[in-house]
């Protein structure tokens, strides 16, 4: 139990996916303009990431390892993610049109979100057990959601600020992310080795 | 010729289009890491563009993204195994960011936006241009971070020992800050050139 909690806290705050592993930077820069879209994207990522990590674990440990097919790891994982996104999209559209309205447009974007594949690869590299992998996937998604939301909040305010012309747009967003990463470094004191 | 040159500056993948950000920020703690990642991307981009361009007529439109991804994943697996066997040190330094080339938006982006619509020759030139553009961007970012963060460039000491290292440069935060300022500088150069 203690280990699960440790994985959870360190994944959400200390080793945040976006700010310390640079995963999912593209949606982080692209969808963080407005709070509503950031919220929707973040939720979709939490959902898909938890599922994708669990299913990748099962496939890796039950199929790839016993048959010695680990060189197929990347191809299989990316296929799992792409098809999972498709299935989730169809499923949500059928059973919850309201949820589809809010998450639907973000789902296809998730296939190319490197965070999902990254988490699956980290899960294998760190030899997590099944339950640890589920917690890890969920926590990583939650961390992404949190940072995306913070970023969107800051950027909505920044729109009213006058900045030098050359810094407008991507440049300012990157520098803001840098400052945010510095702030999140403060969390590293939470868990002492 | 135009296809090659545009990737080097006008449509530079990092500074202009802001594509492929994860490897850009993650592996550029030193110039050599940046350069090796750049070369790996050149290889994958070149051969994926070739295959996509050859197959453009027979790939059904609905499943094209899935097919492109599998093509890219195949070449990435080749690079990964090659690096592990011949350059284990670089392979360790780049870590999970080699397999993450699969989801590098530059590669899928060029396959989808260019190689699937143009002739083989044009696609290959486009891939080379974008790949080399990406590589020099990574090298520059890696060089700046290495010089100020570790006082060295390509492992050779160039700043004096009594110069205080800026540790933040090799931390994640430094990556964001340096890239942010580089983008601003590129904007400034571009604005000057227009006048």
């Amino acid at each position: 139990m203690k280990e699960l909690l440790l994985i959870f806290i360190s994944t959400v705050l200390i080793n945040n996916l976006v700010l310390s592993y640079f995963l999912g930077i593209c949606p982080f820069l692209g969808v963080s303009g407005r709070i509503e879209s950031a919220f929707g994207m973040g939720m979709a990522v939490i959902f898909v990431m938890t599922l994708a990590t669990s299913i990748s674990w099962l496939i890796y440990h039950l199929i790839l390892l016993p048959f010695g097919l680990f060189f197929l790891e990347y191809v299989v994982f990316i296929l799992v993610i792409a098809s999972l996104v498709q299935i989730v999209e169809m499923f949500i559209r059928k059973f919850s049109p309201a949820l589809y309205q809010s998450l639907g447009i973000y789902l296809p974007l998730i296939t190319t979100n490197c965070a999902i594949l990254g988490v699956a690869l980290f899960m294998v590299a760190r030899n997590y057990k099944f339950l640890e992998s589920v917690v890890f996937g969920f926590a990583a998604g939650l961390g992404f959601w949190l940072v995306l939301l913070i970023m969107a909040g800051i950027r909505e305010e920044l729109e009213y600020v006058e900045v030098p012309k050359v810094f407008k747009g991507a440049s300012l967003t990157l520098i803001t992310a840098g400052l945010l990463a510095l702030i999140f470094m403060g969390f590293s004191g939470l868990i002492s080795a | 010729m135009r296809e090659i040159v545009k990737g080097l500056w006008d449509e530079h993948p990092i500074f202009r289009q802001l594509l492929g950000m994860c490897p850009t920020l993650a592996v550029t703690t030193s110039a050599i890491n940046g350069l090796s990642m750049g070369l790996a991307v050149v290889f994958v981009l070149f051969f994926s563009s070739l295959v996509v361009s050859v197959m453009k007529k027979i790939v059904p439109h609905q499943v094209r993204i899935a097919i492109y991804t599998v093509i890219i994943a195949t070449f990435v697996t080749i690079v990964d195994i090659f690096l592990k066997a011949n350059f284990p040190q670089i392979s360790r330094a780049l870590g999970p960011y080699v397999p993450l080339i699969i989801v590098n938006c530059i590669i899928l982006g060029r396959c989808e936006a260019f190689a699937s619509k143009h002739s083989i020759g044009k696609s290959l030139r486009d891939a080379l241009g974008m790949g080399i553009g990406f590589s020099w961007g990574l090298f520059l970012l890696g060089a700046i971070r290495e010089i100020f963060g570790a006082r060295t460039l390509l492992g050779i000491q160039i700043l004096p020992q009594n110069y205080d290292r800026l540790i933040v440069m090799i931390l994640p935060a430094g990556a964001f800050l340096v890239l942010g300022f580089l983008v601003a500088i590129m904007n400034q150069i571009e604005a000057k050139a227009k006048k």
Side-chain angles (χ1 to χ4, degrees):
Chain A
M1 197 59 217
K2 198 180 148 209
E3 266 130 51
L4 293 183
L5 198 68
L6 224 58
I7 291 177
F8 183 79
I9 292 176
S10 73
T11 313
V12 174
L13 293 175
I14 300 166
N15 295 319
N16 188 283
L17 220 51
V18 181
L19 296 176
S20 63
Y21 289 119
F22 308 104
L23 295 173
I25 296 285
C26 301
F28 177 65
L29 298 179
V31 205
S32 60
R34 301 195 53 80
I35 289 185
E36 293 96 85
S37 47
F39 189 87
M41 181 71 177
M43 285 313 221
V45 167
I46 294 180
F47 192 61
V48 174
M49 199 176 270
T50 315
L51 271 179
T53 318
S54 326
I55 295 176
S56 306
W57 190 93
L58 291 175
I59 290 182
Y60 187 79
H61 287 270
L62 298 182
I63 300 175
L64 294 187
L65 269 189
F67 291 97
L69 295 172
F70 39 83
F71 61 90
L72 281 179
E73 185 185 341
Y74 309 154
V75 180
V76 169
F77 280 3
I78 196 74
L79 277 177
V80 166
I81 293 166
S83 38
L84 186 70
V85 169
Q86 283 280 317
I87 294 170
V88 168
E89 191 183 350
M90 286 190 287
F91 191 79
I92 295 184
R93 192 183 333 189
K94 187 95 180 163
F95 289 98
S96 171
L99 192 64
Y100 183 75
Q101 282 290 320
S102 55
L103 295 189
I105 50 167
Y106 303 106
L107 282 172
L109 291 174
I110 289 181
T111 312
T112 48
N113 184 335
C114 45
I116 313 269
L117 181 63
V119 167
L121 293 170
F122 278 134
M123 175 265 295
V124 169
R126 294 179 188 174
N127 281 322
Y128 280 150
K129 296 190 191 68
F130 183 67
L131 209 57
E132 291 170 338
S133 305
V134 178
V135 171
F136 177 57
F138 176 74
L142 195 69
F144 179 81
W145 174 85
L146 179 73
V147 175
L148 194 64
L149 220 59
I150 296 175
M151 191 67 186
I154 297 175
R155 279 182 69 184
E156 278 197 353
E157 293 300 314
L158 274 179
E159 266 177 37
Y160 305 106
V161 180
E162 280 205 31
V163 291
K165 217 168 141 201
V166 287
F167 282 103
K168 265 212 176 99
S171 169
L172 191 66
T173 314
L174 284 166
I175 293 171
T176 315
L179 297 177
L180 210 56
L182 276 179
I183 296 167
F184 265 68
M185 271 168 60
F187 286 121
S188 57
L190 267 182
I191 296 177
S192 58
Chain B
M1 207 49 211
R2 224 200 76 76
E3 277 85 30
I4 293 189
V5 177
K6 70 171 195 282
L8 300 183
W9 182 258
D10 282 343
E11 296 180 22
H12 192 279
I14 299 177
F15 301 125
R16 291 260 159 269
Q17 308 187 55
L18 291 166
L19 292 178
M21 286 292 116
C22 341
T24 307
L25 295 163
V27 304
T28 50
T29 46
S30 71
I32 189 74
N33 285 354
L35 199 59
S36 355
M37 173 54 85
L39 292 179
V41 168
V42 171
F43 173 84
V44 176
L45 185 55
F46 188 83
F47 285 100
S48 311
S49 288
L50 175 70
V51 176
V52 167
S53 186
V54 169
M55 297 196 357
K56 62 178 177 282
K57 292 239 168 61
I58 53 169
V59 171
H61 187 72
Q62 293 87 345
V63 291
R64 66 187 192 290
I65 301 289
I67 292 181
Y68 297 163
T69 321
V70 173
I71 295 171
I72 297 167
T74 311
F75 287 110
V76 170
T77 309
I78 296 174
V79 169
D80 188 47
I81 293 172
F82 174 79
L83 282 180
K84 266 190 193 133
N86 294 302
F87 302 96
Q89 229 177 349
I90 291 177
S91 172
R92 256 198 304 279
L94 298 182
Y97 295 98
V98 177
L100 283 171
I101 297 176
I102 301 172
V103 275
N104 188 326
C105 10
I106 296 175
I107 300 182
L108 194 64
R110 288 334 280 176
C111 287
E112 161 76 0
F114 203 93
S116 64
K117 297 188 181 82
H118 292 83
S119 68
I120 297 170
K122 264 191 180 174
S123 308
L124 290 184
R125 287 198 295 273
D126 175 74
L128 264 187
M130 286 291 160
I132 296 170
F134 187 63
S135 301
W136 80 253
L138 285 188
F139 180 76
L140 179 67
L141 196 60
I144 295 175
R145 290 180 65 193
E146 193 184 339
I147 290 172
F148 291 106
R151 307 189 201 101
T152 58
L153 180 61
L154 295 171
I156 304 157
Q157 184 155 9
I158 54 166
L159 282 181
Q161 202 57 249
N162 56 10
Y163 172 84
D164 273 337
R165 294 201 297 151
L166 288 171
I167 303 287
V168 69
M169 282 294 194
I170 41 177
L171 291 177
F176 284 112
L177 295 175
V178 175
L179 185 64
F181 280 101
L182 274 180
V183 171
I185 292 168
M186 299 295 162
N187 286 345
Q188 176 70 19
I189 296 173
E190 186 72 9
K192 274 258 169 68
K194 270 203 183 116
K195 267 180 206 162

